[in-house]
Amino acid sequence: MPSETPQPAFVLVRPQMGQNIGAAARAMWNFGLDRMRLVAPRDGWPNPDATAMSAGAGRLLDEAQVAGTVAEAVADCTYVLATTARPRGLTKPVLSPERAMAEARDRIARGEKVAVLFGPERAGLENADIAQANAIISVPVNPDFASLNLAQCVLLTAYEWRRQTVDVVAEDMAMGGSEWANVKELDALAKHYEERLDTAGFFFPEAKAESMKINLRNLWSRMPMTRADVQMLHGILRQMVRWKERGD
């Protein structure tokens, strides 16, 4: 059974290759979408090529609704979006994928049913298909090479849906099993280096020694270091001192 998560239906209109249907299912499931509808697939349905290409998203294919026309496929919907990469000469709102999925999110939250139409691989949706949609999704592609693969277009739209419905962390830090070093640990590192550098005669002339130490501590404080980093730097200094003491 499809998940109960509120979401739009993705409608593949007259898809030509089973492999592309399978790849589209995989792209949908990557972003938590599982309501696929098919309009008059060229090679019939089910299609073993689609299953082979779905890579674990076969459930979407098993549960896909099949219709003979676009009107039948979206009959239960109150808002329909049509994807296209070229001008159509039709008077309709033209939305970016981001804006379109924000609109879909808001309408679905109000209890509406939303569908997104994707055209066949050869030439995309026909004007007769687009005429049945409330708005157009236009992807800002290279105008000299505007054609998107069916699965690519599905992936892009599904990604934008995910961005509109899930808190996406813009930046995070993978800690690699360590934790950030605290002030006490950084202070111990600074003292260790100060002691060894002092012994080595680094802080010269003496009149500048204090400012040099401050600059060094400022360097440590600017560096976002983990405990593992601090331990490594301690270890490097100890090994250098041992090497010098051995006289190698």
Side-chain angles (χ1 to χ4, degrees), residues 21-31 33-34 36 45 50-64:
I21 299 173
R26 179 179 182 179
M28 288 176 63
W29 193 227
N30 281 149
F31 297 100
L33 294 165
D34 62 357
M36 173 180 279
W45 195 256
T51 303
M53 194 68 181
S54 64
R59 177 178 67 80
L60 276 68
L61 304 176
D62 295 339
E63 297 167 354

Side-chain angles (χ1 to χ4, degrees), residues 10-30:
F10 276 23
V11 184
L12 310 189
V13 179
R14 299 181 296 279
Q16 297 169 318
M17 298 178 62
Q19 293 93 330
N20 285 335
I21 299 173
R26 179 179 182 179
M28 288 176 63
W29 193 227
N30 281 149

Side-chain angles (χ1 to χ4, degrees), residues 101-145:
M101 290 302 97
E103 180 72 18
R105 175 201 62 205
D106 294 344
R107 287 177 176 273
I108 290 171
R110 296 196 295 265
E112 295 188 45
K113 287 190 175 182
V114 175
V116 183
L117 305 179
F118 299 88
E121 298 89 321
R122 183 179 60 83
L125 294 168
E126 297 177 359
N127 277 10
D129 303 317
I130 297 173
Q132 300 177 69
N134 301 97
I136 289 171
I137 300 176
S138 181
V139 180
V141 294
N142 175 6
D144 295 327
F145 191 62

Side-chain angles (χ1 to χ4, degrees), residues 206-224:
E206 186 175 347
K208 294 185 178 181
E210 189 61 30
S211 64
M212 294 172 71
K213 291 179 180 180
I214 290 175
N215 288 338
L216 185 59
R217 282 181 176 263
N218 190 46
L219 170 65
W220 298 127
S221 68
R222 286 204 317 269
M223 297 172 64

Side-chain angles (χ1 to χ4, degrees), residues 15-18 21 38-50 66:
Q16 297 169 318
M17 298 178 62
I21 299 173
L38 304 173
V39 176
R42 184 190 66 183
D43 297 333
W45 195 256
N47 187 318
D49 290 337
V66 182

Side-chain angles (χ1 to χ4, degrees), residues 2 12 18 31 48-49 68 72 83 85 90 92 94 151 172 174 185 211 216 239-241:
L12 310 189
F31 297 100
D49 290 337
E72 292 173 6
T83 59
L90 299 173
K92 282 188 185 298
V94 179
D172 199 3
E185 290 162 337
S211 64
L216 185 59
Q239 188 60 32
M240 290 175 67
V241 171

